[in-house]
Amino acid sequence: MKAVAITFPSREVRVLDVPEPRLHSPTEVKVRTLEVGVCGTDQDILKGRHGAAPKDEDHLILGHECVGEVVEVGVHVQGLKVGDLVVPRVRRPCPHTRCPACRHGHPDFCVTGDYTERGIQGAHGFCAEFFVEDAAYLHRADDALRGVAVLTEPLTIAEKGLREVGHIQSRLPWKSVPGKALVLGAGPVAQLGAMALMRAGYEVTAYSRSPKPNEKAAASESIGVPYVSSKEVTVEALKKQLGGGVDVIYEATGASKVAFDSLNVLEENGVLIFTGVPGREEPLELQGAEVLGQLVLGNRVMFGTVNASDGDFSAALEDLARFRARWPGKVEALITQRHPPSEFAKVVEAKGGIKHVITFQEHAR
């Protein structure tokens, strides 16, 4: 079968002919890949910042955002059948008994770092015509989501973040409504995060670099999220424009300076969620006393979040259905273009649009 892989040590992206996978366990499922999303993590792998092949192999099949169709199930598999639409989770637990997170089914909180991630770290990904996965790591999706289910994994970032915000903000029992939220960035993680925040009841504003008009600004404003350019409006001016501070900031840029600058917009008792990992070296000067003062004296919280749990994937699939009902056509519009597997390397470097996707649908029956 055809698979898109990065070879080591050259880090060249190629379409390889590799053996078609087979079931080796009664709990495994064989899946025909339909679509694979491309994101900044893939770019980091290609640039050598991240990524590792499976042990004793010289290549890594890429792709960790995926939707596919079941073509074969093991004899002990329950709840899935041939023809079902499925979305796979990415991370697999580390093997260490000393890791309470992995042993309790939460590898997204792994403390050893010895986990594997399909398409990223030590395990082949989904950018191939077929893949095999244990049923425990597959989520069945309604067929109505066929055109957007590839967005599930990037949406899980927001689902996990909002779940953690819920735990943190339970310290404020007098607060009856969610309040205001600011989304930093306007890429797919940011756009989906804005939708999730709106679904949760927040009044959301997007704050991103490029001035209007642009495709990302149009996508935000089409669902009722005002878009403000950081090139045109400073953080200080933004606070005035918003009529005060915000209760939650959802960072989805990987730009450390704007993330820390945004603390000036965060209200007392507010929460700043970091989701982006800086992809380039960026000079950052922090006034330590000022930052600590903002956190301590304002009871503010900052936390980072990575990967997602079983429940976050289920929540993302439910929310995709809600988003499509609330904003017809707007979730679909986040997918800028679909490309053949041979264009993976070009797509990783693509500058325009919102979300680019690799499609294998011409191979689907």
Side-chain angles (χ1 to χ4, degrees):
M1 68 172 184
K2 302 294 184 183
V4 178
I6 182 171
T7 57
F8 295 94
S10 67
R11 290 192 180 265
E12 177 187 2
V13 178
R14 299 169 54 195
V15 178
L16 304 178
D17 284 309
V18 299
E20 188 173 313
R22 297 181 298 167
L23 301 186
H24 293 287
S25 161
T27 61
E28 287 184 334
V29 176
K30 184 175 180 179
V31 179
R32 185 192 310 277
T33 303
L34 297 178
E35 295 187 334
V36 173
V38 179
C39 76
T41 300
D42 297 303
Q43 187 176 67
D44 287 344
I45 294 170
L46 270 58
K47 291 184 179 300
R49 301 187 188 113
H50 199 33
K55 186 178 179 181
D56 298 326
E57 297 200 39
D58 63 359
H59 69 280
L60 171 71
I61 297 176
L62 294 163
H64 59 280
E65 304 173 4
C66 177
V67 60
E69 184 178 311
V70 174
V71 294
E72 185 181 357
V73 297
V75 294
H76 291 170
V77 172
Q78 296 182 345
L80 290 175
K81 64 182 186 303
V82 171
D84 280 348
L85 198 68
V86 291
V87 171
R89 297 204 301 281
V90 180
R91 185 176 288 190
R92 306 294 173 266
C94 76
H96 304 293
T97 57
R98 69 178 187 275
C99 180
C102 287
R103 302 291 71 79
H104 285 82
H106 293 279
D108 54 314
F109 286 101
C110 179
V111 300
T112 69
D114 287 339
Y115 53 78
T116 57
E117 291 179 321
R118 295 204 59 164
I120 303 175
Q121 189 71 26
H124 287 309
F126 309 116
C127 203
E129 292 180 65
F130 298 92
F131 66 89
V132 166
E133 183 56 273
D134 193 280
Y137 295 104
L138 294 173
H139 293 259
R140 190 174 70 81
D142 191 287
D143 201 61
L145 297 178
R146 183 172 291 257
V148 299
V150 71
L151 298 173
T152 303
E153 195 276 341
L155 177 54
T156 63
I157 299 169
E159 299 292 354
K160 180 179 178 180
L162 281 172
R163 175 164 55 85
E164 296 304 304
V165 166
H167 294 318
I168 293 167
Q169 296 300 64
S170 64
R171 63 188 176 147
L172 312 177
W174 61 87
K175 193 170 180 61
S176 59
V177 295
K180 295 180 181 179
L182 181 66
V183 173
L184 304 182
V189 171
Q191 298 277 354
L192 291 164
M195 290 180 172
L197 284 159
M198 290 187 74
R199 186 270 304 159
Y202 286 90
E203 179 184 337
V204 184
T205 299
Y207 190 56
S208 192
R209 185 176 180 183
S210 300
K212 295 190 295 186
N214 64 74
E215 187 175 0
K216 295 174 181 177
S220 291
E221 296 190 336
S222 72
I223 63 166
V225 174
Y227 177 99
V228 181
S229 167
S230 60
K231 282 190 173 181
E232 298 176 336
V233 179
T234 65
V235 170
E236 292 75 16
L238 176 65
K239 186 172 183 178
K240 293 180 181 179
Q241 187 170 320
L242 294 175
V246 299
D247 301 279
V248 171
I249 297 175
Y250 182 75
E251 180 278 320
T253 65
S256 53
K257 185 178 187 306
V258 70
F260 281 100
D261 285 349
S262 72
L263 267 174
N264 293 308
V265 187
L266 192 63
E267 286 279 22
E268 287 80 1
N269 308 318
V271 181
L272 171 54
I273 311 166
F274 290 98
T275 75
V277 178
R280 61 185 185 277
E281 290 188 9
E282 181 184 9
L284 177 65
E285 292 184 6
L286 286 179
Q287 300 297 322
E290 180 181 346
V291 171
L292 286 175
Q294 288 173 313
L295 295 175
V296 174
L297 299 178
N299 289 303
R300 295 174 178 89
V301 175
M302 297 192 298
F303 74 89
T305 181
V306 68
N307 201 257
S309 71
D310 181 347
D312 299 321
F313 274 80
S314 297
L317 286 166
E318 292 172 3
D319 265 349
L320 282 174
R322 294 188 185 104
F323 298 167
R324 292 183 71 244
R326 181 172 177 177
W327 302 293
K330 303 306 180 184
V331 180
E332 289 84 349
L334 296 180
I335 299 177
T336 300
Q337 190 174 350
R338 290 175 164 87
H339 307 260
S342 59
E343 294 185 0
F344 190 101
K346 182 177 76 173
V347 171
V348 168
E349 300 297 337
K351 299 298 183 183
I354 300 175
K355 187 67 177 180
H356 291 266
V357 168
I358 301 298
T359 181
F360 288 84
Q361 298 227 39
E362 62 268 24
H363 302 293
R365 294 169 190 164

